[in-house]
Amino acid sequence: MITRRDFMKFVGGGFASAMALGGYAFAFEPLARLNVTRYALTPPGWTPGLKLRVVALADIHACEPWVSASRIASICRQANDLGGDITVLLGDYATGMNFVTRYIHSSEWSKALAILQAPLGVHAVMGNHDWWEDKTAQRNGGGTTFAHRALSDVGINVYSNRAIRLEKDGRGFWLAGLEDQRALIAGKKWKRKHIQGLDDLDGTLAQVGDSDPVILLAHEPDIFPRVPTRVALTLSGHTHGGQVRFLGHSPMVPSRFGDRYAYGHVIEDDRTLIISGGLGCSIGPIRFGVPPEIVVVDLG
């Protein structure tokens, strides 16, 4: 028979555990952890002898206290030390969260991102929050956002349905960047039927002029079922790994495919996708089982 003392110990222990778990999820993992997640692969159709290291940052969601300008600068310095040939930014620089002590202006977070350096340059696409937080761009139904302009102003290459050819050691590859798939909202932003994309996959890939491999930057991974085998690697963010992840599964993922494209390395029909868990938080400042990360991909 359980005594009142034993019951109170049980309740007290459970409460203490819940407080510790909550403190970890709300404070330690979002603020104090930063992983470097590495992948090594040779996709089908990759050029023999072309060895390329890609460093990817996603979903910064700049705001205080969670991802301050100084924290962004620190992350960028660590990214530079990883020896990437090329650095890519996968969207969502602006925050979409109300639990903040201060919103960070685009001139501040872009200045921090300007620290990034790589021999083949730093290249960026937009995310949905970069569009959603720009009321002027929403009214115009397109054009450029403050995030487009802020990154361009500090010398970062910004892609909006554009592809360019790059070379390393005399071997070429293509970098293609899609405009966001959930850019424009009408009415209540959380109703999917009111969201319109500005992405043009076919038009972007039509710019690829030879048989060299293609790396595609697409903020949301939901485009992946439409990506042809012509693309060697698709890099995405957006999901944050679900922000809460248990035993390799995420209960809530902002994707119409659910956990299928929540996080990590996905191979389907000889097509390869890597989804970053990102750096910041959206909706609420919580992460559990999917700490902020810098992604490193070694190709070839």
Side-chain angles (χ1 to χ4, degrees):
M1 179 178 178
I2 187 170
T3 66
R4 183 176 182 277
R5 182 185 180 90
D6 291 337
F7 176 75
M8 293 304 293
K9 283 183 177 179
F10 174 79
V11 171
F15 179 76
S17 297
M19 290 295 289
L21 186 63
Y24 175 86
F26 279 93
F28 183 77
E29 188 161 301
L31 281 167
R33 292 194 62 185
L34 178 64
N35 285 358
V36 176
T37 304
R38 298 178 182 272
Y39 302 91
L41 58 143
T42 304
W46 191 254
T47 302
L50 173 56
K51 294 188 178 298
L52 186 74
R53 173 167 289 184
V54 182
V55 174
L57 306 179
D59 300 287
I60 290 167
H61 291 292
C63 63
E64 293 182 357
W66 311 106
V67 189
S68 65
S70 61
R71 178 164 165 78
I72 295 170
S74 175
I75 290 168
C76 291
R77 285 190 287 269
Q78 185 169 342
N80 287 343
D81 291 341
L82 294 172
D85 298 302
I86 186 170
T87 297
V88 299
L89 301 171
L90 300 175
D92 271 3
Y93 316 97
T95 191
M97 190 168 58
N98 294 323
F99 300 95
V100 304
T101 57
R102 188 174 80 90
Y103 292 98
I104 298 176
H105 194 271
S106 59
S107 62
E108 295 180 68
W109 55 250
S110 61
K111 182 178 179 181
L113 288 171
I115 293 171
L116 291 168
Q117 296 179 340
L120 296 179
V122 182
H123 309 262
V125 293
M126 292 298 111
N128 56 302
H129 283 284
D130 304 315
W131 281 96
W132 291 2
E133 304 306 319
D134 191 321
K135 305 308 179 187
T136 301
Q138 292 296 315
R139 287 194 300 270
N140 292 339
T144 60
T145 67
F146 60 74
H148 286 88
R149 295 188 293 274
L151 291 173
S152 294
D153 286 348
V154 296
I156 293 175
N157 301 293
V158 181
Y159 292 69
S160 179
N161 300 320
R162 182 167 68 100
I164 67 166
R165 187 178 184 276
L166 299 169
E167 285 191 2
K168 184 193 174 189
D169 299 330
R171 296 176 173 88
F173 67 96
W174 289 82
L175 187 69
L178 291 186
E179 193 48 84
D180 191 68
Q181 301 157 57
R182 297 171 60 84
L184 302 178
I185 54 177
K188 295 181 179 179
K189 69 171 66 175
W190 307 120
K191 290 187 177 181
R192 185 180 298 134
K193 65 181 179 180
H194 292 301
I195 296 176
Q196 175 188 345
L198 294 174
D199 56 302
D200 181 3
L201 179 62
D202 293 340
T204 302
L205 296 182
Q207 300 168 41
V208 175
D210 58 32
S211 61
D212 288 337
V214 179
I215 299 172
L216 177 68
L217 311 181
H219 176 66
E220 294 93 350
D222 285 17
I223 194 74
F224 188 59
R226 291 185 48 220
V227 174
T229 55
R230 176 70 182 83
V231 174
L233 172 66
T234 302
L235 293 172
S236 294
H238 180 65
T239 63
H240 306 187
Q243 287 190 197
V244 176
R245 193 164 176 83
F246 299 97
L247 302 175
H249 295 280
S250 303
M252 294 183 64
V253 182
S255 165
R256 69 178 184 271
F257 296 101
D259 198 53
R260 178 176 168 185
Y261 301 140
Y263 176 74
H265 187 188
V266 177
I267 299 175
E268 293 181 354
D269 303 323
D270 289 330
R271 297 171 304 119
T272 301
L273 166 69
I274 291 176
I275 308 115
S276 169
L279 292 161
C281 297
S282 182
I283 311 303
I286 180 172
R287 278 182 176 262
F288 184 83
V290 54
E293 69 176 12
I294 302 171
V295 169
V296 177
V297 185
D298 285 305
L299 293 162

